[in-house]
Amino acid sequence: RHISEEEFIKRFVTRRLNEETRRILITKGVEIEDEAASEQNRRIVACNAGNDTIPPRVLPVSSVETSRCQHLPQQRNEICGRFALDHLATIEETELLRSAIDKAMVGLYHQGSSTSMAIDSMTALRFDGTPSWKLILDLKNRARLATTSFLGTCRLFDAGGLLTRIDATPRDNPFQINASHVYWNTHADKANIPYYDFSALLYLSSKDLHFTGGDLEFFLSNSTHPTICPRVSLAPKAGRLVAFSSGLENLHRVAPVLSGTRYVLALWFTCDPALAFVDETQDDDR
């Protein structure tokens, strides 16, 4: 079932924890456990979350990581951290998009196992006016609202996005341009694009249902603390949003997909309106 913007706001935004209180608690390293947080599936993916699953509570970001978070202007109160939120998209919506993406990607070049499309007017033509394209734009907005709610107070602006499909085995056809391409390198998004302030990943397929492998893995960037939570793994799940500040505090990678096909809507946001991505397929920033 398609979720309207009004229903999304009611379900995930207007009932959130008081933002200022939550910032203070996270800054002090206080673990937050209350009924409202549990009901909304608000979970910070943190060092003490374990390597395999999301904890059933909100957790603060490790102080080891937060101490390196210096890429945002000091006068703002954005949280340098990460969170996961389930059910941002419904199962029906993710099923619709997987089918639509496969059709839209016919005739696109692949790099190894990975095929990607930018969220722009050229890709809109490939969806040929179907409801799927409107849904993609709506999901972008849902992700922006959720990221603003949990990680920041600035108004976030679209800085670009990709629809990405990763197969376990590279496709062997005339559109393959580099069968040995490696997609699982560890990186920080802001190191690639300096104006990325926040990153968001909305999964359209589920581990162990549609594919195996393919975890999202976060790494500590401080090599002097190799024994302190060197890696945190998070399993993709259809409809699950994972969002995080884009700097070195969130070094990450996609683990190799071992079987099946993994689909994700990857989004980036900036706090600077002058650096916002402008595309004619989107009517407004809402």
Side-chain angles (χ1 to χ4, degrees):
R1 184 173 65 88
H2 177 72
I3 299 177
S4 67
E5 180 177 354
E6 291 76 14
E7 184 180 353
F8 170 73
I9 292 173
K10 180 180 179 181
R11 186 181 299 182
F12 295 118
V13 180
T14 60
R15 298 172 61 189
R16 66 183 180 269
L17 296 172
N18 178 276
E19 292 180 354
E20 190 61 28
T21 300
R22 186 171 178 279
R23 282 191 214 98
I24 293 171
L25 290 174
I26 290 176
T27 300
K28 291 181 177 295
V30 176
E31 187 171 310
I32 306 169
E33 293 186 78
D34 67 5
E35 186 174 343
S38 177
E39 179 183 350
Q40 295 301 316
N41 291 317
R42 296 163 185 171
R43 301 169 172 100
I44 296 292
V45 182
C47 208
N48 52 346
N51 287 336
D52 299 315
T53 61
I54 303 174
R57 59 191 183 280
V58 174
L59 293 171
V61 175
S62 164
S63 60
V64 175
E65 296 166 315
T66 319
S67 65
R68 292 192 303 277
C69 188
Q70 301 174 353
H71 68 270
L72 293 172
Q74 295 298 313
Q75 69 271 21
R76 291 206 290 256
N77 294 316
E78 284 76 22
I79 296 172
C80 291
R82 50 188 181 263
F83 75 92
L85 176 66
D86 287 337
H87 311 303
L88 189 84
T90 67
I91 294 300
E92 294 79 8
E93 287 173 334
T94 59
E95 289 174 347
L96 174 66
L97 286 185
R98 288 197 304 273
S99 176
I101 289 169
D102 281 339
K103 292 178 182 178
M105 284 186 171
V106 172
L108 280 185
Y109 288 104
H110 325 297
Q111 285 190 305
S113 298
S114 180
T115 309
S116 294
M117 298 186 294
I119 311 299
D120 59 16
S121 57
M122 295 300 294
T123 295
L125 294 175
R126 286 185 166 269
F127 283 84
D128 195 25
T130 63
S132 301
W133 182 248
K134 183 178 180 180
L135 175 58
I136 289 168
L137 299 183
D138 184 44
L139 291 173
K140 282 179 58 179
N141 194 53
R142 291 186 217 172
R144 181 178 63 84
L145 289 171
T147 304
T148 301
S149 174
F150 293 113
L151 293 180
T153 56
C154 77
R155 184 184 182 191
L156 294 182
F157 297 88
D158 177 17
L162 289 174
L163 289 163
T164 297
R165 180 184 66 196
I166 299 177
D167 300 300
T169 304
R171 300 191 177 214
D172 184 14
N173 59 38
F175 299 100
Q176 179 61 256
I177 59 176
N178 181 8
S180 61
H181 173 73
V182 173
Y183 59 80
W184 52 85
N185 291 319
T186 302
H187 64 282
D189 293 344
K190 199 171 188 68
N192 296 328
I193 306 293
Y195 55 81
Y196 286 171
D197 290 322
F198 294 97
S199 307
L201 300 169
L202 176 58
Y203 293 106
L204 306 176
S205 54
S206 298
K207 180 182 178 181
D208 296 330
L209 179 61
H210 303 106
F211 62 92
T212 60
D215 280 352
L216 174 63
E217 298 180 337
F218 289 100
F219 297 83
L220 286 179
S221 60
N222 191 337
S223 60
T224 64
H225 296 82
T227 62
I228 303 177
C229 187
R231 181 171 62 189
V232 175
S233 296
L234 180 64
K237 178 181 177 182
R240 173 175 289 170
L241 176 74
V242 180
F244 47 94
S245 47
S246 302
L248 290 174
E249 71 282 0
N250 279 313
L251 280 171
H252 63 282
R253 73 162 192 161
V254 177
V257 173
L258 304 178
S259 66
T261 305
R262 182 186 192 270
Y263 297 81
V264 66
L265 171 59
L267 303 167
W268 296 275
F269 302 104
T270 179
C271 292
D272 189 344
L275 298 174
F277 174 77
V278 178
D279 185 75
E280 62 188 32
T281 63
Q282 189 168 0
D283 294 333
D284 54 60
D285 187 62
R286 289 192 283 186

